[in-house]
Amino acid sequence: MFLCEKLSKTFEGVAALVDVELRFPESGVVAVMGPNGAGKTTLFNIMSGWQRPDSGRCTFGARNLAKLAPYQVARLGVARTFQDLRFIKEVSVLENVLLARPKQRGESLFRAIFGIGIADAERQNQELATNILTLVGLQDKIGSRADEISYGEQKLLTLACCVASEASVLLLDEPVAGVHPGMVRPISSLLLSLKAQGKLVVLIEHDIEIIRDLADQVIVMDSGRVIAVGGPHDVLGRPEILKAYIE
Amino acid sequence: MFTQILFNGLVAGAIYALVALGFSLRFQATRTFDFSYAAVITLSAYAAGKVFEYSGANWVISALAGCTTAGTVGVLLDVTIFRPMRRSGARELAILLASLGTMVAVANSISLGFGDRQQIIGSAVTHNSIALGSARITSLQLATIYVALMVGGFCWYAYHRTRWGLVMRALADDEVLARCYGISRERLILQATILAAVIGSSAAILSAMDTGLSPLIGFQLLLPGVVASVVGGMGRLGGVVIAGCAIGLIQQAAGWITSAGWQDPILFAILLVFLLVRPHGVFGAPLRRSAV
Amino acid sequence: MEYVVHILILIAIYTTLATSLDLLVGETGLLSAAQAAFFGVGAYTSALLSTRYGLSFLSGVAAGMALAIALSTLVALISLRVQEDYFVIATFALQIIAFSIFNNWIDVTQGPSGVANIPPPEILGWNVQASGDFLVLAAGVAAIAYCLVSRITASPFGRVLRAIREDDVFTQAQGKNTLRFKLEVSGISAGLAAAAGSVYAYYLTFIDPTTFTITQSILLISMVILGGAGSRMGPLVGAAFLVVLPEALRFVGISSASAANLQAILYGAALVGLMMVRPRGLLGRYSFGQ
């Protein structure tokens, strides 16, 4: 579904991506690893429509993402988390997840003013949002202000938002880094269940254990290039991969 | 007629260029639009005007008084209002609002203290005119162009040929990186504030000597300055200066074609057109989409 | 008693105006320096259509609102396509241009002389002439504005507005076309301001450009922030201050001109103080990120 063809991107003289060719599976868990500056976040930005490649193209279901605004890419079913942990701070955890719910008719101005037929949908969304928050372990923080919970909990919140959006592709930037160790297992199970639902989960991840446990496919990047693609046991065993990390 | 408009336009443009330069400098350093700049330059013009009265028409002392006032007020406002806000992580909107409030409070305080009427400063000497072709150009106008060139030249030198300028440009590009190199952002802001204040004060004093003092002089100069900044491409100081000159010319031409009352709206219509077709200004770098 | 009713009518009109601005600034986080201009568009449209063409109150109000909505959508479209910071500058531009039109286009607006002899409105058979009638009209419009804004902010649409206020990027990433929301909310805001302007014109029976200046726009902003951004009752509190303060100053014996200056100084200082210490204002729910 997701196809990257000869993607290249340069920022003020620095090559962030060089001739990246990737074919993502329809569903499953794919891990993207590599040292800092490898181009992982740039790849995510292009895949979610926030940046355009200088050359090459990225298509999702035959749609060229360069022609779409970020919100349109999101509507196609691509959800993401951000490296600098974005969410709405001055509202509650629940409001954040409610925001992520797609196709809300109450978001039309006409319906908002005349209040037709939005009460039921709101109720349903609230129920669903609560369930999702319970799933990620935030059931006790539903009413808390989003900026008053811990960093790990905020990470879980952004994950909950991605799930609530009913996206078919989730681009997660280090979903378990900084999270309470006890929560790592439930999150891993959640990601696996998303895979079982037929979704594609792409993770930027450094933790080798997690990659080994979860990933069906591993992509290794370095200095803007893809240096390895394959199954975790295959890729993680190669000495040149470890070398890339150490250097 | 045409040459007269040209001269008048260049003189007006010189003043707007200076204001735009100062405004953009502050923007470069603080990354916010600072409307309190109008307050700074208005106070400096009044200081110069009052000193001129009491010092027996000595314009050197008056100019010094004006510039000192500008620098002092600029630093004072930044240290008491904007720096604490930056420290507490205030958003740009909050800082913008505070700057608007400052501008209004100061302008009305001056109005309360000195009245609204335009007060003439400057003596007959400044209005001696010489003929240049079919146009007449006054010594004040010549002085204005001279000062603008001097100040502009000094800024260009400082910005492009000194280490300070290099640091300013680095900071403008990437604050975090600049901090890594031990460059204190607050110190840079202070320096930029003083420089901007002095530049703006010279513009206000020159303008006041031409058309008189009024509590609104800062605001009236700031608006074209802001337009010039946007049209010139906020960060590009050279572009901003050129835009200021262009705006002065357009304004004078417009005033001649229609009437004085329409000069401001025509300016702003130009601004809107620019936002529509070339928002990063004539010389600015294309705006990057929201940083992600 | 007449005097009290007069004050109440003004408070009602300015509450509508403040409510319209709060929807934009307090709820969506978009700063507009043109609210006085939209106030003026409504006032002048109603004044001119009724004095020159004998059009009815409702027609005048509708025309004023339509014009205001069209202008605000244009300005918003031009500037928001670029970056949000430019929205302020664009509204500054609109405000300056609008005031110049009020003040200089003498053929149409009669310039500094203003428009006088605005006839009392007639709304579906109801002749609004006595002060009491105007109070009902002004309060009614304020109540409609209040209900409208309450509905909007309590709905999913409102949820998106608050999200835009906080983090536009995150909101877009949730699949929301934030530009569309901003265009719509700026239209509603301008329309309500114009409606307030129409009532204002009919009540005072005389308008001139000095009510619709950039300083007035900034005072309105201060008023909204003082009352409290993002709250429903905040605009009422802010409007009450704005109307009562100059009257109180005049009562104490300060001249009109000085009172205007003093009011502006107080508001300017209040704005600075609030932004530094308590951006929420008195009743607000939004602290501008503090």
Side-chain angles (χ1 to χ4, degrees):
Chain A
M1 231 184 334
F2 243 121
L3 199 63
C4 297
E5 297 169 277
K6 290 186 99 52
L7 283 183
S8 290
K9 180 83 184 163
T10 310
F11 289 117
E12 283 157 32
V14 179
L17 291 179
V18 183
D19 276 349
V20 168
E21 293 261 357
L22 289 171
R23 176 180 241 103
F24 289 85
E26 286 272 332
S27 70
V29 179
V30 176
V32 179
M33 40 183 296
N36 283 330
K40 311 187 291 292
T41 304
T42 309
L43 180 65
F44 265 25
N45 287 345
I46 291 179
M47 287 171 74
S48 53
W50 285 97
Q51 275 163 357
R52 298 206 168 92
D54 293 331
S55 65
R57 61 189 195 144
C58 183
T59 56
F60 178 61
R63 303 283 305 265
N64 186 349
L65 296 186
K67 296 196 161 53
L68 299 176
Y71 82 89
Q72 291 171 315
V73 177
R75 285 213 193 143
L76 284 181
V78 180
R80 69 166 295 177
T81 62
F82 292 88
Q83 205 174 26
D84 52 351
L85 215 58
R86 286 177 180 267
F87 54 89
I88 309 299
K89 297 183 176 60
E90 287 198 22
V91 300
S92 71
V93 164
L94 183 66
E95 281 264 306
N96 269 278
V97 180
L98 284 173
L99 184 72
R101 293 291 300 147
K103 302 198 192 75
Q104 295 186 51
R105 296 159 92 215
E107 284 171 5
S108 118
L109 182 62
F110 185 78
R111 288 222 174 78
I113 294 176
F114 297 102
I116 336 167
I118 56 177
D120 283 333
E122 261 303 276
R123 225 191 330 269
Q124 276 174 5
N125 281 330
Q126 295 229 356
E127 235 181 79
L128 220 105
T130 310
N131 290 342
I132 294 174
L133 284 168
T134 309
L135 211 63
V136 301
L138 286 175
Q139 64 273 21
D140 297 326
K141 300 286 165 108
I142 289 179
S144 309
R145 249 174 69 142
D147 58 353
E148 284 169 7
I149 58 180
S150 75
Y151 176 80
E153 288 168 332
Q154 288 167 345
K155 266 245 159 99
L156 296 175
L157 173 59
T158 59
L159 181 59
C161 289
C162 286
V163 175
S165 70
E166 292 181 10
S168 50
V169 177
L170 284 81
L171 306 175
L172 306 176
D173 205 322
E174 298 192 48
V176 290
V179 168
H180 186 275
M183 280 310 299
V184 175
R185 196 122 291 272
I187 291 177
S188 299
S189 322
L190 175 62
L191 297 183
L192 287 172
S193 77
L194 288 171
K195 163 182 159 182
Q197 289 170 43
K199 299 190 195 284
L200 172 67
V201 177
V202 185
L203 317 167
I204 292 181
E205 192 45 75
H206 291 297
D207 188 324
I208 309 249
E209 284 304 313
I210 293 185
I211 295 176
R212 241 194 270 271
D213 282 342
L214 294 179
D216 302 316
Q217 191 184 76
V218 177
I219 297 170
V220 186
M221 295 182 69
D222 187 17
S223 306
R225 290 174 199 275
V226 174
I227 57 177
V229 179
H233 301 284
D234 167 29
V235 167
L236 292 174
R238 293 194 224 161
E240 66 261 27
I241 304 304
L242 288 163
K243 235 180 91 168
Y245 254 104
I246 293 171
E247 272 163 20
Chain B
M1 199 72 241
F2 178 68
T3 23
Q4 187 69 64
I5 295 178
L6 188 67
F7 274 131
N8 291 347
L10 279 175
V11 172
I15 293 188
Y16 296 148
L18 288 175
V19 177
L21 192 58
F23 186 76
S24 294
L25 254 174
R26 272 262 322 153
F27 178 81
Q28 280 265 50
T30 62
R31 288 286 149 200
T32 54
F33 291 132
D34 181 11
F35 290 100
S36 72
Y37 194 55
V40 170
I41 67 180
T42 306
L43 283 171
S44 84
Y46 268 83
K50 292 304 158 193
V51 168
F52 191 80
E53 264 180 62
Y54 296 127
S55 73
N58 186 327
W59 59 265
V60 174
I61 300 182
S62 313
L64 276 172
C67 290
T68 321
T69 308
T72 314
V73 171
V75 169
L76 202 69
L77 287 177
D78 192 75
V79 166
T80 54
I81 299 175
F82 302 111
R83 183 190 288 194
M85 288 185 81
R86 285 193 296 267
R87 281 249 166 84
S88 67
R91 303 240 319 250
E92 286 127 28
L93 183 59
I95 295 179
L96 190 79
L97 284 167
S99 78
L100 273 178
T102 309
M103 177 179 81
V104 168
V106 169
N108 279 277
S109 301
I110 295 176
S111 181
L112 200 63
F114 296 105
D116 275 329
R117 268 182 316 107
Q118 214 119 342
Q119 300 167 32
I120 307 295
I121 56 173
S123 64
V125 173
T126 57
H127 291 284
N128 277 354
S129 59
I130 58 172
L132 228 66
S134 60
R136 296 206 73 82
I137 179 161
T138 68
S139 44
L140 177 62
Q141 288 181 314
L142 278 172
T144 304
I145 295 185
Y146 177 73
V147 169
L149 284 172
M150 288 293 109
V151 171
F154 173 75
C155 281
W156 181 86
Y157 181 79
Y159 210 66
H160 287 283
R161 288 274 184 273
T162 65
R163 189 174 176 276
W164 181 86
L166 184 67
V167 165
M168 270 295 286
R169 278 179 286 145
L171 179 81
D173 254 354
D174 192 329
E175 188 205 335
V176 176
L177 193 64
R179 216 168 332 163
C180 290
Y181 281 95
I183 297 166
S184 151
R185 185 172 179 229
E186 285 301 330
R187 201 152 65 115
L188 241 76
I189 290 178
L190 222 55
Q191 291 165 346
T193 301
I194 295 175
L195 184 60
V198 170
I199 295 172
S201 117
S202 60
I205 294 172
L206 287 165
S207 178
M209 285 169 87
D210 189 21
T211 56
L213 274 178
S214 99
L216 292 174
I217 194 172
F219 182 66
Q220 282 164 348
L221 291 180
L222 185 63
L223 290 184
V226 171
V227 176
S229 298
V230 173
V231 168
M234 279 314 279
R236 301 295 232 97
L237 299 187
V240 153
V241 167
I242 294 175
C245 294
I247 281 175
L249 284 164
I250 293 172
Q251 206 191 40
Q252 289 299 310
W256 182 69
I257 297 172
T258 60
S259 79
W262 291 108
Q263 281 176 339
D264 275 345
I266 286 176
L267 216 59
F268 279 94
I270 294 173
L271 172 70
L272 288 176
V273 169
F274 253 92
L275 283 182
L276 188 63
V277 298
R278 203 181 164 91
H280 47 275
V282 178
F283 300 98
L287 297 167
R288 254 184 272 159
R289 180 183 260 158
S290 342
V292 181
Chain C
M1 188 57 202
E2 273 287 314
Y3 181 69
V4 172
V5 174
H6 167 73
I7 295 290
L8 289 177
I9 294 172
L10 286 180
I11 291 179
I13 292 174
Y14 276 93
T15 300
T16 307
L17 192 51
T19 303
S20 76
L21 186 57
D22 187 47
L23 183 63
L24 204 55
V25 179
E27 211 67 21
T28 321
L30 286 174
L31 181 61
S32 168
Q35 217 62 3
F38 292 126
F39 191 45
V41 165
Y44 268 96
T45 307
S46 281
L48 293 171
L49 288 181
S50 65
T51 53
R52 290 190 175 205
Y53 305 107
L55 284 183
S56 73
F57 174 81
L58 289 174
S59 310
V61 170
M65 288 176 74
L67 182 57
I69 292 173
L71 286 172
S72 84
T73 306
L74 182 68
V75 167
L77 199 58
I78 291 176
S79 57
L80 292 173
R81 265 186 340 129
V82 184
Q83 237 176 48
E84 231 175 70
D85 306 324
Y86 286 89
F87 182 70
V88 189
I89 305 274
T91 59
F92 248 102
L94 182 65
Q95 170 66 54
I96 302 284
I97 294 174
F99 175 78
S100 287
I101 292 177
F102 297 152
N103 207 34
N104 297 326
W105 200 8
I106 304 195
D107 292 340
V108 177
T109 64
Q110 292 169 234
S113 325
V115 179
N117 301 318
I118 302 169
E122 195 224 294
I123 308 172
L124 306 172
W126 172 37
N127 279 310
V128 184
Q129 282 185 314
S131 295
D133 294 332
F134 272 109
L135 184 54
V136 172
L137 177 62
V141 172
I144 293 174
Y146 175 86
C147 288
L148 194 68
V149 171
S150 292
R151 283 210 95 100
I152 290 175
T153 53
S155 72
F157 184 93
R159 181 160 55 224
V160 178
L161 292 184
R162 286 185 293 278
I164 289 173
R165 179 182 75 190
E166 295 265 353
D167 195 328
D168 196 295
V169 167
F170 176 76
T171 311
Q172 287 182 55
Q174 307 313 308
K176 320 295 179 194
N177 181 0
T178 58
L179 179 61
R180 192 244 318 161
F181 282 90
K182 290 176 199 170
L183 288 176
E184 289 178 355
V185 81
S186 75
I188 298 255
S189 169
L192 284 177
S198 294
V199 177
Y200 179 83
Y202 276 105
Y203 173 58
L204 291 186
T205 71
F206 166 73
I207 55 168
D208 74 358
T210 60
T211 313
F212 312 113
T213 64
I214 180 74
T215 308
Q216 288 296 315
S217 274
I218 298 178
L219 288 189
L220 282 169
I221 294 171
S222 304
M223 170 180 69
V224 167
I225 305 242
L226 178 65
S231 78
R232 301 291 80 74
M233 293 309 274
L236 173 61
V237 172
F241 264 95
L242 188 73
V243 172
V244 170
L245 186 60
E247 302 293 320
L249 291 174
R250 233 201 313 271
F251 199 68
V252 177
I254 300 177
S255 76
S256 262
S258 300
N261 283 331
L262 213 53
Q263 182 188 29
I265 295 172
L266 286 171
Y267 271 105
L271 194 52
V272 178
L274 286 169
M275 282 299 118
M276 291 181 74
V277 171
R278 195 190 158 90
R280 286 201 290 132
L282 290 168
L283 302 176
R285 291 194 208 143
Y286 178 47
S287 337
F288 290 90
Q290 294 291 67

